[in-house]
Amino acid sequence: MEFKQIQYLIKELHQLRLHAVYPETELATLLSDNQYQPDSLKIIGDFYTEHQESLDPLFLEINHKMAFIMFPSTGCYYLLGPFTLSTQTSTLPYLKKASLRPLSELLYYLLFQKLGTTLRFEEDLGLKYSTVPNELRATSEQPLHQQTLETMMLRAIKDGQVAKVKELLLHNPLNKENDSIGLLSKKSLIRYYRNISITTVTLATRAAIQGGLFPEVAYSLSDRAIQTLEDAHFMTDLNKSMTEALIDLTRLVHQEKQLNISPLTNKAREYISNHLYEQTTRETVATFLAISPNHLDKIFKADLKISVARYIKQTKLQAACELIEQQQDSLSQISESLGFGSLNSFSKLFKQHYGYPPSQHLSHSQD
């Protein structure tokens, strides 16, 4: 994802500005629409000079009304803000303390394509820049609600622990009206909860991929879930969609971990997953793996008890079901995009596999 796209996403979801600051960039000019004191800009510049080799983001409170999150990187740094944690009236976007860690983790991934960061506070590094009174500071000693829950949830998804995810979902803060999650939108309450849900699904998708789920499968499920969340208008629908997405991702990770298959078969499955919308055959898969089609079939059947051709067909039919449920393309378009040859051929194969024609899939999937 390009930086401008990340900027737009953060602006749309969280009403926050993201700056890319290079050595030649004049920070005062970049932030010219706000009334900053020279000392405030010096704090930001000094931190980058001292910590540019560290990729951990750092929370910086300039004063009791203004804060930033900085993402140091060699050659430049990224600055999120300004925003405020104060409940006092302010023209700046308002975040609750609990939103700092999940938001910084999501943005860290978008910027650096890595998971596992830890938001650090000035006290963690022994910094003495800020002049904010102690009682107003978001120190690392103050518990950020849901931090432990989120860490446990992502670990459970990565490990494929379905029962654990279900247990943790019982503590889902979206079921409660409290301060355990941050206000990520000032426009409406439903947008606020929708943003939280989308962020959660995004982080869960990354964890599932880390757990061994094919990216194509994970992103496909994530895209459907996020579209459902965007269309939801009630809290119960948001909670239901997010819960189903997390459980489905975890269940798929669990299934992958239970498969005792050879690396060659796994590479073949990944190739098929990544080329569903092409004319994929056992021959094209075998060519990719530099082995003969017959040898590929022999290994595939030994691992999965199914031929390569049949596996491709079943995987395409499963993808067709997902496309039908999205209700964006006609059956003819779905048939053509997945390379079934004709609508008649697609309908025949679909009915042979599922026992009903594709035109009836929506009604069956809702039962």
Side-chain angles (χ1 to χ4, degrees), residues 212 214 256 259 261-273 289 299-300 303-304 311:
F214 293 149
E256 284 296 320
L259 292 175
I261 59 179
S262 67
L264 197 63
T265 298
N266 212 36
K267 287 182 180 179
R269 292 173 63 238
E270 185 172 11
Y271 178 87
I272 293 167
S273 176
L289 297 173
I299 297 173
F300 216 83
D303 283 338
L304 299 178
Y311 179 86

Side-chain angles (χ1 to χ4, degrees), residues 129-140:
Y129 294 144
S130 180
T131 58
V132 181
N134 289 334
E135 62 271 18
L136 295 178
R137 301 182 64 78
T139 67
S140 55

